[in-house]
Amino acid sequence: FAALSSDQYVVVWNVTCSAEKPKTGEIRGTKYEDRDGDGKLRDGGNRKLSGWTIYLDTNENGTLDKDEQSVVTRRNGEYRFRGLATSTYHVREVGRDGWKQTYPSSEKYDVDLGPGQIVKKIDFGNFKLGRICGAWFEDKNGNGRKDKGENGLFGWTIKLLGFGQSDVSATSDTNGNYCFDNLSAGQYDVRAIMQDGWEQKTS
């Protein structure tokens, strides 16, 4: 230690240091039903969907895990993640049976979020898969329509040809009924495989 003479003074400053709290950001978007399956969400006629789960896929495994943040779309189809730190976020939806995601085509977003940034229009769209059903029957009077007393034909093979389909078939049940499920938007041809001794009268 050094000794101080009588004309020397010690000056002590009280300094308070504070760190500014980091600004957090948000990610926002809307969930749509893409009714025509064209991948365009704001072209009119597409209703907004509530009750769908959107999540931040931290480990990028395509599955909502217990430790990952998620929200549910509101009545107007909107959702938002608040209080997000600066980082890259992978935003996905939880899919549902009977629906096909049409937007975005990559099925997810990679969002680079800056301090205090609000990123909007992280939207999702889904097409509700369709169904084609019919009946195969014996047209006894050959008038091209199903009349009373004309029964369905069991065990006939019905083929579906069209958009995104190849070699898809169904077999008529005991009442002659058949169905094709989970169909994407598009135009289809439905044809029966004719059996010997029969002639198709209607389609």
Side-chain angles (χ1 to χ4, degrees):
F1 297 95
L4 299 176
S5 62
S6 58
D7 58 349
Q8 290 178 309
Y9 301 91
V10 175
V11 178
V12 178
W13 296 88
N14 292 320
V15 179
T16 301
C17 297
S18 61
E20 184 178 353
K21 186 177 180 180
K23 294 181 179 180
T24 59
E26 294 185 12
I27 295 175
R28 303 177 183 177
T30 305
K31 175 69 184 176
Y32 290 89
E33 178 185 359
D34 183 8
R35 289 186 170 178
D36 57 7
D38 64 354
K40 298 177 182 179
L41 305 184
R42 301 174 185 268
D43 56 354
N46 291 333
R47 67 187 179 103
K48 299 175 181 179
L49 297 174
S50 63
W52 285 67
T53 299
I54 312 296
Y55 68 101
L56 303 179
D57 190 11
T58 305
N59 58 10
E60 296 189 78
N61 68 348
T63 301
L64 174 58
D65 300 310
K66 291 182 179 180
D67 59 343
E68 292 176 335
Q69 188 175 351
S70 66
V71 293
V72 176
T73 57
R74 295 180 288 185
R75 181 176 298 178
N76 59 1
E78 295 180 357
Y79 74 90
R80 64 178 61 187
F81 293 95
R82 293 187 174 95
L84 299 178
T86 301
S87 185
T88 298
Y89 294 92
H90 311 288
V91 190
R92 288 183 178 269
E93 68 169 23
V94 176
R96 292 185 181 182
D97 292 338
W99 294 79
K100 178 182 179 181
Q101 185 174 337
T102 59
Y103 193 88
S105 58
S106 62
E107 298 186 353
K108 70 181 179 72
Y109 292 92
D110 298 317
V111 179
D112 295 321
L113 192 67
Q117 185 180 10
I118 297 176
V119 178
K120 301 179 181 179
K121 294 186 178 181
I122 305 300
D123 300 331
F124 291 89
N126 289 70
F127 172 77
K128 190 171 185 179
L129 298 174
R131 193 181 203 205
I132 295 175
C133 294
W136 193 246
F137 64 95
E138 182 181 2
D139 187 9
K140 293 181 179 180
N141 58 12
N143 67 353
R145 64 175 181 268
K146 191 175 188 299
D147 299 313
K148 185 177 181 180
E150 294 181 337
N151 299 321
L153 295 173
F154 168 73
W156 284 65
T157 299
I158 315 297
K159 303 282 288 186
L160 181 71
L161 306 173
F163 181 81
Q165 301 292 336
S166 60
D167 197 27
V168 177
S169 62
T171 302
S172 59
D173 64 16
T174 54
N175 295 313
N177 297 321
Y178 65 89
C179 281
F180 296 97
D181 295 306
N182 296 323
L183 301 178
S184 299
Q187 184 174 352
Y188 297 88
D189 290 328
V190 182
R191 301 177 184 177
I193 303 301
M194 296 305 298
Q195 299 181 11
D196 292 341
W198 292 84
E199 178 185 0
Q200 184 171 338
K201 300 296 294 185
T202 185
S203 62

